[in-house]
Amino acid sequence: VDEHIDALMRDGAARAGTFSLGGGLPASELFPRRALAASFLRVIREPGASALQYGWPEGRPGLRAWVAERLRRRGAAVAAEEVILTSGAQQALAIAAEVAFAAGGRIGCDAESYPAALALFRARGLTPTVERTGVVGFYAMPALSNPRGHGLGEDERRALLARARAAGVPIVEDDAYAELRFDGRSPRPLLAEARALVFHVGTFSKTICPGLRVGWLVAPPDFRQRALVAKHTSDLEANSLAQALLEDFLAHADYDALLDRARRFYAPRARRLAEALRRALPAWRFTLPEGGFTIWVETDREGDDAALLEAAIRQGVSVDPGRLFRVDQRASPPALRLSFASEPGPRLAEGVERLARAWAG
Amino acid sequence: VDEHIDALMRDGAARAGTFSLGGGLPASELFPRRALAASFLRVIREPGASALQYGWPEGRPGLRAWVAERLRRRGAAVAAEEVILTSGAQQALAIAAEVAFAAGGRIGCDAESYPAALALFRARGLTPTVERTGVVGFYAMPALSNPRGHGLGEDERRALLARARAAGVPIVEDDAYAELRFDGRSPRPLLAEARALVFHVGTFSKTICPGLRVGWLVAPPDFRQRALVAKHTSDLEANSLAQALLEDFLAHADYDALLDRARRFYAPRARRLAEALRRALPAWRFTLPEGGFTIWVETDREGDDAALLEAAIRQGVSVDPGRLFRVDQRASPPALRLSFASEPGPRLAEGVERLARAWAG
């Protein structure tokens, strides 16, 4: 079934004229191309060309210091030495799975969660579950969840920490969208509360661009050495070029201004998609996201999300089928994750109308 | 012990004035900086900026086609669709370990082999061995070995294939240095002989530059889908920027001329290092490498390679201690891997004299 859905999604992506409400892709209009080009021309001239050479597995000191400083501003006392730069947030998740959950078991997740994390857990012998007991650990997105785009409330946050502490099991904190909340408040990470339990995972993919594939992991002190071995044996180091580019870019850019711009860019798109859904598909349920790139919608009758995806692609719009996000992988009633990030407003509205035609069958 | 050696090697790298006979780093003088800069400026302007966006887990079609074409020229009938681009050769090895050897067991290796592969196997529950029976698979560098810099003879090659076939176990073929043989003959890969058994691993790290972190895996057909899942769950995709850079660079560059230049650059350095060794340390044993970056030397009395490394660093030269390469991890009689790739001739000679002083104690 996953291969069938994969084929459908590739088909949708390959068809000219298809509007994309699928994927978690940031808007390419926001990529700071000019500034990255300036950084490239600076780093490529450096004697020794460290941007093109091998580096240490933990990554460039300057970039690690930058990540640590950002986390300290949010309340987590992290030193540069504690940050491991990774090949995107996904590799940080994979390292956490390798060092903390090698024996397998059940891992507590939201009922809907990030598909590549669920796929990773399954590939590594872990079973995602919505149960909160009898688990080897938790996977959570406290600042802003994917696909729903909601942050944990204070009570939920406390309850999650209490459960992990009581069971003595780690929490993998996926912080990918923390700085893209529309309210601009990046909450205090769980890392700040329970250092010995939290694998903290972040990335530049959503805020700068994903093609550089640089993220980070702050592992609990007891796991740090094993995490570094896992990083080294997985792929030696995050690519030097992107690390050097980011280090230089961040030394020159106003990152907070860049985040403000991104929030002001995405928030109206979220409202536009929500309005279109209310108008064209009033029976579908969703809540407005607090940030990020997507809206999670649930339909109102039994059906099959793969069939809905197929019909949508025939109508000229691609979407992400809900089963990929559901811990129980169920196809019915169909749910969808719809992205407002990569299409401009008029195409979002037209995309929803195409989707409504697909649903009407 | 590994942490001790790691600390020593970092200490050596950090000291100003230290000559480097350690590491497997290519010469930065050979990095095609100007051409990569031209490629960067082309790909960053592309509408949609695919170099900065997410891509499919298997990688860019054009670059996969290039890899397949190179392999076909060497006798392996590989289609572009069969190539998975990876985050360097190391990740290709990690994927092979994940999909072929998940149950652990013993893996047949040369008595001296590539340290990051040995570390990977150990981290993933595999035990490297020089035994040729009772193994779950083999790890080999048939075209050119690391650290010795030798290719397999025709008899050894046939014997390896026969053993793998008889036991029905895979061979992981590490082809990293295949195009850097001084004789310019890149041999027919094992992949061409036993498609169903061979995980073929290659990289741009040694020939273009390592900082881009792009390599490839051609998995046996039965493992291909699992390998793609492992790639996706490990880090989503090899970084898009480096893929786009390489695709553009290779469309414009004369890659064979670049390889010729690299061979003509490294071969005299190998001779220079060998001469310096014969002169300053006549009792040490080594054979001239057929290519690559390094000479494997064995000393003539009992001792400890970590102590030798420490003494060498005090004398102002860094080296790679032999235990990292030895399947049995033994420290004595000390052996070393010496690199001729990253220092010019006079520094190679002076580095060996420093090493001789360290050895004399």
Side-chain angles (χ1 to χ4, degrees):
Chain A
V1 172
D2 270 1
E3 281 182 55
H4 175 56
I5 287 187
D6 185 58
L8 287 174
M9 292 171 80
R10 285 170 182 264
D11 177 44
R15 287 191 191 209
T18 301
F19 289 8
S20 176
L21 304 184
L25 282 63
S28 59
E29 303 95 297
L30 293 180
F31 296 163
R33 298 196 211 196
R34 192 177 303 265
L36 287 173
S39 290
F40 184 92
L41 295 175
R42 278 190 294 267
V43 304
I44 199 85
R45 285 192 196 109
E46 184 209 299
S50 68
L52 303 180
Q53 190 53 280
Y54 285 114
W56 297 104
E58 65 275 14
R60 288 176 79 96
L63 190 55
R64 297 164 76 209
W66 187 94
V67 170
E69 164 60 22
R70 285 300 288 186
L71 286 169
R72 282 198 298 274
R73 282 209 242 165
R74 287 170 58 201
V78 174
E81 294 65 38
E82 300 173 285
V83 175
I84 298 175
L85 298 176
T86 57
S87 301
Q90 183 69 22
Q91 187 183 54
L93 300 177
I95 292 171
E98 182 175 339
V99 301
F101 308 125
R106 301 194 309 161
I107 182 160
C109 302
D110 287 344
E112 299 87 25
S113 192
Y114 170 52
L118 298 177
L120 165 72
F121 296 145
R122 292 182 184 120
R124 300 292 177 94
L126 290 159
T127 306
T129 175
V130 296
E131 298 296 319
R132 292 290 171 257
T133 55
V135 297
V136 295
F138 294 97
Y139 170 65
M141 287 169 276
L144 195 86
S145 64
N146 176 1
R148 285 186 181 271
H150 288 254
L152 283 192
E154 197 46 45
D155 288 355
E156 296 168 302
R157 187 183 152 86
R158 257 190 239 119
L160 173 59
L161 281 165
R163 275 189 218 105
R165 283 201 183 100
V169 298
I171 302 171
V172 179
E173 175 176 43
D174 184 341
D175 204 45
Y177 289 96
E179 307 209 269
L180 290 176
R181 291 182 57 84
F182 299 144
D183 60 12
R185 296 185 309 101
S186 305
R188 191 174 159 87
L190 293 184
L191 181 69
E193 317 294 347
R195 195 51 177 284
L197 291 180
V198 173
F199 286 84
H200 182 86
V201 172
T203 182
F204 293 110
S205 292
K206 309 302 180 182
T207 55
I208 299 180
C209 64
L212 299 179
R213 308 304 306 127
V214 178
W216 56 87
L217 174 67
V218 180
D222 284 355
F223 288 96
R224 200 162 295 145
Q225 187 54 32
R226 270 176 285 168
L228 191 58
V229 170
K231 169 59 191 165
H232 181 243
T233 56
S234 293
D235 65 355
L236 302 187
E237 55 140 359
N239 78 94
S240 305
L241 175 59
Q243 289 189 58
L245 277 182
L246 285 166
E247 191 174 286
D248 183 274
F249 171 81
L250 292 165
H252 291 83
D254 181 342
Y255 189 64
D256 289 304
L258 178 150
L259 295 179
D260 271 345
R261 183 174 163 235
R263 290 182 204 111
R264 286 198 313 271
F265 180 92
Y266 289 122
R269 286 195 172 184
R271 288 194 298 272
R272 186 74 179 260
L273 177 59
E275 283 157 20
L277 283 167
R278 280 190 208 106
R279 196 170 50 236
L281 288 156
W284 286 14
R285 289 188 311 275
F286 67 91
T287 53
L288 269 178
E290 295 162 13
F293 294 168
T294 61
I295 294 179
W296 174 253
V297 298
E298 290 166 316
T299 68
D300 58 332
R301 57 171 193 253
E302 292 300 314
D304 176 70
D305 60 358
L308 177 54
L309 168 61
E310 214 167 339
I313 290 168
R314 276 198 306 270
Q315 292 292 338
V317 61
S318 67
V319 296
D320 288 333
R323 79 176 73 180
L324 300 179
F325 301 84
R326 285 171 164 163
V327 162
D328 64 10
Q329 302 179 281
R330 74 181 192 284
S332 178
L336 301 172
R337 187 186 72 171
L338 302 179
S339 168
F340 50 80
S342 41
E343 296 280 15
R347 285 170 66 102
L348 290 175
E350 168 65 19
V352 169
E353 280 168 33
R354 292 180 181 189
L355 184 56
R357 287 199 290 277
W359 182 241
Chain B
V1 173
D2 271 0
E3 281 182 54
H4 174 57
I5 287 187
D6 186 58
L8 287 174
M9 293 171 79
R10 284 169 182 263
D11 177 43
R15 288 190 191 209
T18 302
F19 289 6
S20 177
L21 303 184
L25 281 64
S28 58
E29 303 95 296
L30 293 180
F31 297 163
R33 298 197 211 195
R34 193 178 300 269
L36 288 173
S39 291
F40 184 91
L41 295 174
R42 279 191 292 268
V43 303
I44 198 85
R45 286 194 194 107
E46 183 209 299
S50 68
L52 303 180
Q53 190 54 280
Y54 287 114
W56 296 104
E58 65 275 15
R60 288 176 78 98
L63 190 54
R64 298 164 75 209
W66 187 93
V67 170
E69 165 60 23
R70 286 298 290 186
L71 286 169
R72 282 197 298 273
R73 283 208 243 164
R74 287 170 58 202
V78 173
E81 294 66 38
E82 299 173 284
V83 175
I84 299 176
L85 298 176
T86 57
S87 301
Q90 184 68 21
Q91 187 183 54
L93 300 177
I95 292 171
E98 181 175 339
V99 302
F101 308 125
R106 301 195 309 162
I107 181 159
C109 302
D110 286 344
E112 298 87 25
S113 192
Y114 170 52
L118 299 177
L120 165 73
F121 297 146
R122 293 182 184 119
R124 301 289 177 94
L126 290 159
T127 306
T129 177
V130 296
E131 298 295 320
R132 293 288 170 258
T133 54
V135 298
V136 296
F138 294 96
Y139 170 64
M141 287 168 277
L144 195 86
S145 64
N146 176 3
R148 284 186 181 271
H150 288 254
L152 283 191
E154 197 46 46
D155 289 354
E156 295 168 303
R157 188 183 151 86
R158 258 191 238 119
L160 173 60
L161 281 165
R163 277 188 217 103
R165 282 201 184 101
V169 299
I171 302 170
V172 179
E173 175 177 45
D174 184 341
D175 204 44
Y177 290 95
E179 306 207 270
L180 290 177
R181 290 182 57 85
F182 299 144
D183 62 10
R185 294 187 309 102
S186 305
R188 190 173 161 87
L190 294 184
L191 182 70
E193 317 295 345
R195 195 52 176 282
L197 291 180
V198 173
F199 285 84
H200 181 86
V201 171
T203 182
F204 294 109
S205 291
K206 309 302 180 184
T207 54
I208 298 181
C209 65
L212 299 179
R213 309 303 307 127
V214 179
W216 55 87
L217 173 68
V218 180
D222 284 354
F223 288 96
R224 200 162 293 143
Q225 185 55 31
R226 270 177 285 169
L228 191 58
V229 170
K231 169 59 191 164
H232 180 245
T233 57
S234 293
D235 65 354
L236 302 186
E237 54 141 358
N239 78 93
S240 306
L241 175 59
Q243 289 188 57
L245 277 181
L246 286 166
E247 191 174 289
D248 183 273
F249 171 81
L250 292 165
H252 291 83
D254 181 342
Y255 189 65
D256 289 305
L258 178 150
L259 294 179
D260 271 344
R261 183 173 162 235
R263 289 182 205 112
R264 285 198 313 269
F265 179 93
Y266 290 122
R269 287 194 172 186
R271 287 194 298 271
R272 186 73 179 259
L273 177 60
E275 283 156 20
L277 282 167
R278 278 190 209 107
R279 195 171 49 235
L281 288 155
W284 287 13
R285 290 188 310 276
F286 66 90
T287 52
L288 268 179
E290 295 162 13
F293 294 167
T294 61
I295 294 180
W296 174 251
V297 298
E298 290 166 316
T299 68
D300 58 333
R301 57 173 194 252
E302 291 301 312
D304 176 68
D305 60 356
L308 178 54
L309 168 60
E310 215 167 337
I313 289 169
R314 275 198 306 269
Q315 292 291 339
V317 60
S318 68
V319 296
D320 289 333
R323 78 177 75 180
L324 300 179
F325 302 84
R326 285 171 164 164
V327 162
D328 64 9
Q329 301 179 283
R330 76 181 190 285
S332 178
L336 301 172
R337 188 186 69 171
L338 302 178
S339 169
F340 50 79
S342 40
E343 297 279 16
R347 285 170 66 100
L348 290 176
E350 167 65 18
V352 169
E353 281 169 30
R354 292 179 182 191
L355 184 56
R357 286 198 292 276
W359 182 240

